[in-house]
Short mmCIF file of all heavy atoms in Angstrom, two decimals:
data_model
loop_
_atom_site.label_atom_id
_atom_site.label_comp_id
_atom_site.label_asym_id
_atom_site.label_seq_id
_atom_site.Cartn_x
_atom_site.Cartn_y
_atom_site.Cartn_z
N PRO A 1 1.36 5.98 2.55
CA PRO A 1 1.28 4.65 1.95
C PRO A 1 0.02 4.41 1.14
O PRO A 1 0.03 3.65 0.18
CB PRO A 1 1.37 3.70 3.14
CG PRO A 1 1.11 4.51 4.34
CD PRO A 1 1.44 5.93 4.01
N CYS A 2 -1.08 5.08 1.46
CA CYS A 2 -2.32 4.91 0.69
C CYS A 2 -2.29 5.66 -0.63
O CYS A 2 -3.11 5.41 -1.51
CB CYS A 2 -3.54 5.33 1.52
SG CYS A 2 -3.93 4.18 2.86
N ALA A 3 -1.36 6.59 -0.79
CA ALA A 3 -1.25 7.34 -2.04
C ALA A 3 -0.28 6.68 -3.02
O ALA A 3 -0.15 7.14 -4.15
CB ALA A 3 -0.78 8.76 -1.74
N LEU A 4 0.37 5.60 -2.62
CA LEU A 4 1.36 4.95 -3.48
C LEU A 4 0.73 4.13 -4.61
O LEU A 4 1.36 3.89 -5.62
CB LEU A 4 2.31 4.08 -2.66
CG LEU A 4 3.23 4.86 -1.72
CD1 LEU A 4 4.03 3.90 -0.84
CD2 LEU A 4 4.17 5.78 -2.51
N LEU A 5 -0.52 3.69 -4.43
CA LEU A 5 -1.22 2.94 -5.48
C LEU A 5 -2.44 3.73 -5.95
O LEU A 5 -3.38 3.94 -5.18
CB LEU A 5 -1.71 1.58 -4.95
CG LEU A 5 -0.69 0.49 -4.71
CD1 LEU A 5 -1.37 -0.75 -4.13
CD2 LEU A 5 0.05 0.13 -5.99
N GLY A 6 -2.40 4.19 -7.18
CA GLY A 6 -3.56 4.84 -7.76
C GLY A 6 -4.54 3.79 -8.26
O GLY A 6 -4.28 2.58 -8.19
N PRO A 7 -5.69 4.21 -8.78
CA PRO A 7 -6.71 3.26 -9.24
C PRO A 7 -6.20 2.27 -10.29
O PRO A 7 -6.50 1.08 -10.22
CB PRO A 7 -7.81 4.16 -9.81
CG PRO A 7 -7.64 5.46 -9.08
CD PRO A 7 -6.16 5.59 -8.86
N ALA A 8 -5.43 2.73 -11.27
CA ALA A 8 -4.91 1.83 -12.30
C ALA A 8 -3.93 0.82 -11.70
O ALA A 8 -3.92 -0.35 -12.08
CB ALA A 8 -4.24 2.62 -13.42
N ASP A 9 -3.11 1.29 -10.74
CA ASP A 9 -2.17 0.39 -10.06
C ASP A 9 -2.91 -0.67 -9.26
O ASP A 9 -2.55 -1.84 -9.28
CB ASP A 9 -1.25 1.17 -9.11
CG ASP A 9 -0.37 2.16 -9.84
OD1 ASP A 9 0.06 1.87 -10.97
OD2 ASP A 9 -0.11 3.24 -9.26
N ARG A 10 -3.93 -0.24 -8.54
CA ARG A 10 -4.72 -1.21 -7.76
C ARG A 10 -5.30 -2.27 -8.68
O ARG A 10 -5.27 -3.47 -8.38
CB ARG A 10 -5.83 -0.51 -6.97
CG ARG A 10 -5.31 0.30 -5.80
CD ARG A 10 -6.42 0.71 -4.85
NE ARG A 10 -7.60 1.29 -5.48
CZ ARG A 10 -7.78 2.58 -5.69
NH1 ARG A 10 -6.85 3.45 -5.34
NH2 ARG A 10 -8.89 3.01 -6.26
N SER A 11 -5.83 -1.84 -9.81
CA SER A 11 -6.41 -2.79 -10.76
C SER A 11 -5.33 -3.76 -11.27
O SER A 11 -5.58 -4.97 -11.33
CB SER A 11 -7.02 -2.02 -11.93
OG SER A 11 -7.56 -2.92 -12.87
N ALA A 12 -4.16 -3.26 -11.59
CA ALA A 12 -3.06 -4.11 -12.06
C ALA A 12 -2.63 -5.12 -11.00
O ALA A 12 -2.16 -6.21 -11.32
CB ALA A 12 -1.87 -3.25 -12.49
N ALA A 13 -2.80 -4.76 -9.72
CA ALA A 13 -2.42 -5.65 -8.62
C ALA A 13 -3.57 -6.56 -8.19
O ALA A 13 -3.41 -7.36 -7.26
CB ALA A 13 -1.95 -4.81 -7.42
N GLY A 14 -4.72 -6.45 -8.84
CA GLY A 14 -5.86 -7.29 -8.48
C GLY A 14 -6.64 -6.77 -7.29
O GLY A 14 -7.38 -7.51 -6.66
N LEU A 15 -6.47 -5.48 -6.98
CA LEU A 15 -7.16 -4.86 -5.85
C LEU A 15 -8.31 -4.01 -6.38
O LEU A 15 -8.12 -3.18 -7.27
CB LEU A 15 -6.19 -4.00 -5.04
CG LEU A 15 -5.01 -4.75 -4.44
CD1 LEU A 15 -3.93 -3.78 -3.96
CD2 LEU A 15 -5.49 -5.64 -3.30
N THR A 16 -9.50 -4.18 -5.83
CA THR A 16 -10.67 -3.49 -6.35
C THR A 16 -11.11 -2.30 -5.51
O THR A 16 -11.97 -1.54 -5.93
CB THR A 16 -11.85 -4.48 -6.48
OG1 THR A 16 -12.12 -5.06 -5.20
CG2 THR A 16 -11.55 -5.57 -7.49
N SER A 17 -10.55 -2.14 -4.32
CA SER A 17 -10.99 -1.06 -3.43
C SER A 17 -9.80 -0.22 -2.97
O SER A 17 -8.68 -0.72 -2.87
CB SER A 17 -11.66 -1.66 -2.19
OG SER A 17 -12.76 -2.43 -2.55
N PRO A 18 -10.06 1.05 -2.63
CA PRO A 18 -9.00 1.88 -2.05
C PRO A 18 -8.55 1.29 -0.71
O PRO A 18 -9.27 0.52 -0.08
CB PRO A 18 -9.68 3.23 -1.82
CG PRO A 18 -10.87 3.23 -2.71
CD PRO A 18 -11.30 1.80 -2.81
N GLY A 19 -7.35 1.67 -0.32
CA GLY A 19 -6.81 1.19 0.95
C GLY A 19 -7.38 1.92 2.14
O GLY A 19 -8.03 2.96 2.02
N VAL A 20 -7.13 1.35 3.31
CA VAL A 20 -7.55 1.92 4.58
C VAL A 20 -6.30 2.26 5.39
O VAL A 20 -5.46 1.39 5.65
CB VAL A 20 -8.45 0.92 5.37
CG1 VAL A 20 -8.82 1.49 6.73
CG2 VAL A 20 -9.69 0.57 4.57
N ALA A 21 -6.16 3.52 5.76
CA ALA A 21 -4.99 3.98 6.53
C ALA A 21 -4.99 3.35 7.92
O ALA A 21 -6.06 3.16 8.52
CB ALA A 21 -5.00 5.50 6.64
N LYS A 22 -3.81 3.00 8.41
CA LYS A 22 -3.67 2.43 9.76
C LYS A 22 -2.24 2.66 10.23
O LYS A 22 -1.44 3.27 9.53
CB LYS A 22 -4.01 0.94 9.76
CG LYS A 22 -3.08 0.09 8.90
CD LYS A 22 -3.40 -1.36 8.99
CE LYS A 22 -2.42 -2.00 9.93
NZ LYS A 22 -2.63 -3.36 10.25
N ARG A 23 -1.93 2.17 11.40
CA ARG A 23 -0.58 2.24 11.96
C ARG A 23 -0.11 0.82 12.24
O ARG A 23 -0.87 -0.02 12.69
CB ARG A 23 -0.55 3.03 13.26
CG ARG A 23 -1.15 4.39 13.23
CD ARG A 23 -0.36 5.55 12.79
NE ARG A 23 0.96 5.73 13.32
CZ ARG A 23 1.88 6.46 12.70
NH1 ARG A 23 1.59 7.04 11.57
NH2 ARG A 23 3.05 6.62 13.21
N VAL A 24 1.15 0.56 11.96
CA VAL A 24 1.82 -0.68 12.37
C VAL A 24 2.94 -0.21 13.29
O VAL A 24 3.95 0.31 12.83
CB VAL A 24 2.38 -1.46 11.17
CG1 VAL A 24 3.17 -2.67 11.64
CG2 VAL A 24 1.25 -1.91 10.24
N GLY A 25 2.71 -0.31 14.58
CA GLY A 25 3.64 0.28 15.54
C GLY A 25 3.63 1.77 15.35
O GLY A 25 2.58 2.41 15.37
N GLU A 26 4.80 2.36 15.12
CA GLU A 26 4.91 3.80 14.89
C GLU A 26 4.84 4.17 13.42
O GLU A 26 4.87 5.35 13.07
CB GLU A 26 6.23 4.31 15.49
CG GLU A 26 6.31 4.18 16.99
CD GLU A 26 5.24 4.99 17.70
OE1 GLU A 26 5.03 6.17 17.34
OE2 GLU A 26 4.61 4.44 18.61
N ALA A 27 4.76 3.19 12.54
CA ALA A 27 4.81 3.43 11.11
C ALA A 27 3.43 3.61 10.50
O ALA A 27 2.46 2.99 10.93
CB ALA A 27 5.53 2.27 10.42
N SER A 28 3.35 4.45 9.46
CA SER A 28 2.12 4.61 8.69
C SER A 28 1.98 3.43 7.76
O SER A 28 2.95 2.96 7.17
CB SER A 28 2.17 5.88 7.86
OG SER A 28 2.24 7.01 8.69
N ALA A 29 0.76 2.96 7.59
CA ALA A 29 0.51 1.82 6.72
C ALA A 29 -0.83 1.98 6.03
O ALA A 29 -1.64 2.84 6.38
CB ALA A 29 0.53 0.52 7.54
N CYS A 30 -1.06 1.15 5.02
CA CYS A 30 -2.31 1.14 4.29
C CYS A 30 -2.68 -0.30 3.99
O CYS A 30 -1.86 -1.06 3.46
CB CYS A 30 -2.16 1.94 2.99
SG CYS A 30 -3.73 2.26 2.16
N ASP A 31 -3.89 -0.69 4.36
CA ASP A 31 -4.39 -2.05 4.12
C ASP A 31 -5.31 -2.07 2.91
O ASP A 31 -6.20 -1.21 2.77
CB ASP A 31 -5.23 -2.52 5.32
CG ASP A 31 -4.41 -3.26 6.35
OD1 ASP A 31 -3.32 -3.75 6.03
OD2 ASP A 31 -4.88 -3.35 7.50
N TYR A 32 -5.11 -3.07 2.07
CA TYR A 32 -5.98 -3.35 0.93
C TYR A 32 -6.45 -4.77 1.11
O TYR A 32 -5.65 -5.66 1.37
CB TYR A 32 -5.22 -3.23 -0.39
CG TYR A 32 -4.67 -1.86 -0.66
CD1 TYR A 32 -3.41 -1.49 -0.19
CD2 TYR A 32 -5.39 -0.94 -1.39
CE1 TYR A 32 -2.90 -0.23 -0.44
CE2 TYR A 32 -4.89 0.33 -1.65
CZ TYR A 32 -3.64 0.67 -1.17
OH TYR A 32 -3.13 1.92 -1.42
N THR A 33 -7.75 -5.01 0.93
CA THR A 33 -8.29 -6.35 1.15
C THR A 33 -9.17 -6.77 -0.01
O THR A 33 -10.03 -6.01 -0.45
CB THR A 33 -9.12 -6.38 2.45
OG1 THR A 33 -8.29 -5.98 3.54
CG2 THR A 33 -9.66 -7.77 2.72
N GLU A 34 -8.93 -7.97 -0.47
CA GLU A 34 -9.82 -8.64 -1.41
C GLU A 34 -10.44 -9.78 -0.61
O GLU A 34 -9.81 -10.83 -0.44
CB GLU A 34 -9.05 -9.17 -2.63
CG GLU A 34 -8.62 -8.08 -3.58
CD GLU A 34 -9.78 -7.24 -4.08
OE1 GLU A 34 -10.78 -7.82 -4.58
OE2 GLU A 34 -9.72 -6.01 -3.96
N PRO A 35 -11.64 -9.58 -0.06
CA PRO A 35 -12.25 -10.56 0.84
C PRO A 35 -12.25 -11.98 0.25
O PRO A 35 -12.60 -12.18 -0.91
CB PRO A 35 -13.68 -10.05 1.03
CG PRO A 35 -13.56 -8.56 0.80
CD PRO A 35 -12.53 -8.44 -0.29
N GLY A 36 -11.82 -12.90 1.09
CA GLY A 36 -11.78 -14.31 0.70
C GLY A 36 -10.63 -14.68 -0.21
O GLY A 36 -10.49 -15.83 -0.59
N THR A 37 -9.77 -13.71 -0.57
CA THR A 37 -8.68 -13.98 -1.50
C THR A 37 -7.33 -13.64 -0.89
O THR A 37 -6.53 -14.52 -0.61
CB THR A 37 -8.88 -13.20 -2.82
OG1 THR A 37 -10.19 -13.45 -3.32
CG2 THR A 37 -7.87 -13.63 -3.86
N PHE A 38 -7.06 -12.34 -0.71
CA PHE A 38 -5.78 -11.91 -0.17
C PHE A 38 -5.85 -10.48 0.32
O PHE A 38 -6.82 -9.77 0.06
CB PHE A 38 -4.65 -12.05 -1.21
CG PHE A 38 -4.68 -11.03 -2.33
CD1 PHE A 38 -3.80 -9.96 -2.31
CD2 PHE A 38 -5.56 -11.15 -3.38
CE1 PHE A 38 -3.81 -9.02 -3.34
CE2 PHE A 38 -5.58 -10.23 -4.41
CZ PHE A 38 -4.70 -9.16 -4.39
#
C-alpha cells in the first residue's frame, strides 16, 4: 500500500510526506498524515 502513491501522486493528493507502513487487523496499510489538516 505504501508503493501505490509515488511522489508526484502524493503531491497531487496534497500529501507532503511518504507514508508509514502499518497493519489494520490482518491487512497491510499505509498512513499518510498532513498534521492539523487530514
Side-chain angles (χ1 to χ4, degrees):
C2 288
L4 292 174
L5 287 177
D9 296 325
R10 288 193 312 268
S11 179
L15 299 166
T16 58
S17 301
V20 177
K22 63 177 260 175
R23 307 275 312 158
V24 175
E26 295 298 315
S28 296
C30 191
D31 269 340
Y32 298 88
T33 302
E34 287 304 308
T37 309
F38 73 103

